[in-house]
């Protein structure tokens, strides 16, 4: 065993002590830790509101509710993402309208977003080509855009916001993978009307399970605060519920962990950057693979995963399998959302519908990645990758 894992949290005794301290109090939920964590996120992002929730999925779902997205509404989003970014639309019986991505970055292609928004707004035959074969109602309103900051690189948000302004759309920025990233010097997550950062243990910082919503919208914040807490509005007692809500609260142990992790964000991002650099230096020696493409003019990367791409026609899955046999985990990233079985069943998507997404999905492989990886481990992964890819 070489002890190389797909991902690993980066924890110190400060985090352990903070969690243990909560456990010496009776306040395991809804105490001051969540308030302190939220304050720290407000300070980091400059957002007026930060709302701690139990997962990135929960956070995105609350944004969908806050954006007033309802049964049958259309939302333009990306098929090259983790499924949750589309699932939250399905939770409200809304319809994701997929558009294809930029082949270099894997982020939404703003030109296609613009075309889709214009065509869907016009309606009729022009709109139809963007709708799925089934599961969408013709003439349904386009309500929002849901870009995703893929792998820790912000989406091209200036044109996205311009399009939103032009067509009067709400923008939910899925920054679940991008805490700390920047777009033209501005923080990812703060570029739309609502943003969400997620803290699963493979993320830049972790709370175990958990996430944070940020927004500057007073009404949306009040609604989301109520909805995460079983729909209790200000003034409601424990058993009064103004809204149909959820239990999407973040507990105090998780919040304490997140609060301390956040104080270490710069250090954690630097360590992850260093590991990414080690990979980049070695990958240039391996002709079969290409490292991640960063839009260096606009992006300050906050590395989430390290995804390489194989040359077209290369048997990526065979490489992954052989790495696995050497105890090196590696994972295809992402499998296109529109081809997941339940999406095909509902919307009748077919292979070939979003060719760039599908191509990236076939050629991308996430290598083991975390800020606590050593240079020797990166070296071993790359040497093994080189060996295995030469056999193909
Ligand atoms: C792009 C994206 N959106 C949403 C989520 C959902 O976050 P969570 O797993 O915390 O529910 C993730 C998590 O991996 C993600 O990568």
């Amino acid at each position: 065993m070489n002890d190389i894992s797909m991902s690993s949290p980066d924890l110190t005794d400060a985090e352990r002590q903070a969690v243990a301290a909560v456990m010496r109090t009776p306040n395991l939920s809804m105490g001051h830790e969540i308030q302190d964590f939220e304050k720290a996120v407000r300070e980091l992002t400059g957002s007026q509101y930060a709302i701690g929730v139990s997962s990135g999925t929960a956070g995105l779902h609350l944004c969908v509710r806050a954006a007033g997205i309802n049964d049958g509404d259309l939302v333009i989003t990306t098929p090259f993402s983790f499924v949750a970014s589309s699932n939250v639309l399905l939770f409200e019986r809304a319809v994701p309208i997929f558009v294809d991505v930029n082949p270099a970055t894997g982020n939404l292609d703003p030109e296609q977003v613009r075309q889709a928004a214009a065509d869907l707004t016009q309606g009729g035959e022009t709109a139809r080509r963007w709708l799925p074969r089934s599961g969408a109602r013709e003439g349904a309103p386009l309500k929002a855009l849901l870009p995703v900051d893929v792998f820790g690189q912000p989406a091209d948000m200036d044109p996205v916001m311009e399009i939103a302004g032009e067509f009067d759309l709400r923008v939910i920025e899925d920054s679940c993978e991008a805490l700390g990233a920047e777009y033209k010097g501005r923080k990812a997550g703060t570029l739309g009307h609502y943003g969400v950062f997620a803290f699963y243990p493979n993320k830049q910082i972790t709370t175990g399970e958990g996430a944070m919503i940020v927004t500057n919208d007073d009404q949306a914040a009040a609604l989301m605060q109520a909805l995460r807490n079983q729909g209790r509005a200000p003034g409601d007692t424990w058993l009064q519920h103004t809204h149909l809500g959820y239990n999407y609260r973040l507990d105090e142990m998780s919040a304490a962990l997140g609060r301390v992790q956040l104080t270490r964000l710069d250090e954690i991002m630097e360590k992850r950057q260093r590991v990414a650099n080690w990979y980049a230096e070695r990958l240039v020696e391996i002709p079969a693979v290409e490292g991640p493409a960063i839009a260096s003019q606009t992006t300050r990367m906050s590395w989430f995963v390290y995804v390489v791409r194989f040359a077209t026609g290369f048997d990526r899955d065979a490489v992954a399998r052989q790495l696995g046999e050497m105890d090196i985990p590696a994972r295809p990233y992402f499998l296109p959302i529109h081809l997941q079985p339940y999406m095909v069943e509902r919307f009748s998507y077919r292979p070939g519908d979003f060719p760039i997404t599908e191509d990236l999905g076939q050629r991308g492989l996430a290598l083991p990645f975390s800020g606590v990886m050593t240079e020797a481990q990166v070296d071993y992964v790359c040497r093994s990758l080189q060996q295995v890819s030469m056999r193909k």
Side-chain angles (χ1 to χ4, degrees):
M1 278 301 285
N2 56 41
D3 227 19
I4 295 176
S5 49
M6 196 62 224
S7 67
S8 175
D10 184 343
L11 301 173
T12 67
D13 279 345
E15 283 91 332
R16 295 181 193 101
Q17 280 160 16
V19 174
V22 172
M23 294 175 72
R24 286 191 284 272
T25 76
N27 302 317
L28 304 189
S29 185
M30 301 176 81
H32 73 83
E33 285 292 350
I34 178 82
Q35 289 172 15
D36 293 350
F37 186 28
E38 289 175 343
K39 180 164 179 275
V41 172
R42 285 197 303 274
E43 284 168 2
L44 173 81
T45 57
S47 299
Q48 245 173 295
Y49 301 95
I51 303 166
V53 288
S54 52
S55 71
T57 309
L60 290 167
H61 184 201
L62 293 189
C63 295
V64 168
R65 287 278 313 264
I69 294 165
N70 291 312
D71 203 346
D73 289 347
L74 310 180
V75 177
I76 296 175
T77 189
T78 170
F80 190 66
S81 172
F82 183 69
V83 286
S85 59
S86 288
N87 286 353
V88 294
L89 301 173
L90 271 50
F91 294 169
E92 296 301 321
R93 294 172 307 281
V95 178
I97 299 294
F98 293 126
V99 307
D100 220 336
V101 297
N102 176 311
T105 63
N107 276 323
L108 264 184
D109 174 354
E111 276 320 302
Q112 295 221 41
V113 174
R114 183 182 296 285
Q115 194 60 56
D119 291 351
L120 290 164
T121 307
Q122 191 181 328
E125 195 55 43
T126 345
R128 198 167 303 142
R129 73 181 176 113
W130 298 98
L131 298 180
R133 291 181 186 84
S134 62
R137 188 165 46 81
E138 252 179 71
L142 175 64
K143 283 280 182 71
L145 308 177
L146 200 162
V148 177
D149 301 332
V150 168
F151 303 155
Q153 168 152 244
D156 193 359
M157 289 298 286
D158 276 352
V160 167
M161 292 313 289
E162 204 181 283
I163 297 160
E166 207 174 308
F167 294 95
D168 192 22
L169 305 171
R170 304 305 284 169
V171 177
I172 300 169
E173 187 184 0
D174 180 345
S175 298
C176 285
E177 302 185 352
L179 178 75
E182 290 178 13
Y183 172 77
K184 302 184 182 175
R186 288 172 276 146
K187 297 263 184 248
T190 66
L191 306 166
H193 299 108
Y194 334 88
V196 181
F197 306 112
F199 307 136
Y200 184 74
N202 63 353
K203 298 295 193 301
Q204 291 87 346
I205 72 162
T206 189
T207 55
E209 298 287 355
M212 195 68 77
I213 306 166
V214 289
T215 185
N216 290 331
D217 181 326
D218 303 331
Q219 271 189 348
L223 180 62
M224 292 192 285
Q225 278 158 347
L227 293 183
R228 77 168 159 182
N229 187 23
Q230 300 286 15
R232 297 179 185 103
D236 280 352
T237 63
W238 188 250
L239 294 177
Q240 285 177 318
H241 309 269
T242 299
H243 310 279
L244 168 62
Y246 317 91
N247 180 355
Y248 282 170
R249 294 184 302 258
L250 184 69
D251 67 68
E252 288 288 283
M253 287 77 71
S254 301
L257 173 51
R259 178 180 57 75
V260 179
Q261 284 262 278
L262 196 65
T263 63
R264 299 182 48 232
L265 180 62
D266 287 343
E267 172 210 334
I268 288 173
M269 281 175 61
E270 270 168 38
K271 286 162 79 179
R272 295 171 84 92
Q273 180 64 57
R274 195 170 53 158
V275 175
N277 293 346
W278 290 333
Y279 268 123
E281 285 159 18
R282 286 158 179 78
L283 287 172
V284 288
E285 316 277 322
I286 310 179
V289 300
E290 206 180 282
I294 311 300
S296 58
Q297 299 296 309
T298 53
T299 295
R300 180 187 178 205
M301 197 68 186
S302 175
W303 289 95
F304 163 50
V305 280
Y306 198 88
V307 179
V308 297
R309 279 180 205 158
F310 287 88
T312 303
F314 211 85
D315 192 347
R316 182 259 331 254
D317 294 338
V319 170
R321 217 168 26 247
Q322 288 173 51
L323 289 175
E325 285 159 13
M326 300 161 93
D327 289 322
I328 298 172
R331 206 174 270 170
Y333 236 87
F334 292 110
L335 299 180
I337 295 179
H338 63 284
L339 296 179
Q340 301 288 342
Y342 63 98
M343 285 281 177
V344 171
E345 190 180 321
R346 186 178 298 202
F347 299 115
S348 307
Y349 283 117
R350 294 179 193 150
D353 282 343
F354 301 99
I356 300 171
T357 292
E358 291 169 33
D359 179 58
L360 297 181
Q362 270 159 16
R363 296 198 291 123
L365 188 70
L367 300 178
F369 184 74
S370 74
V372 298
M373 269 185 98
T374 63
E375 189 166 11
Q377 287 177 321
V378 173
D379 207 47
Y380 178 66
V381 172
C382 291
R383 271 188 287 117
S384 308
L385 180 62
Q386 180 154 33
Q387 253 177 40
V388 167
S389 64
M390 280 188 0
R391 280 186 224 152
K392 298 283 106 202

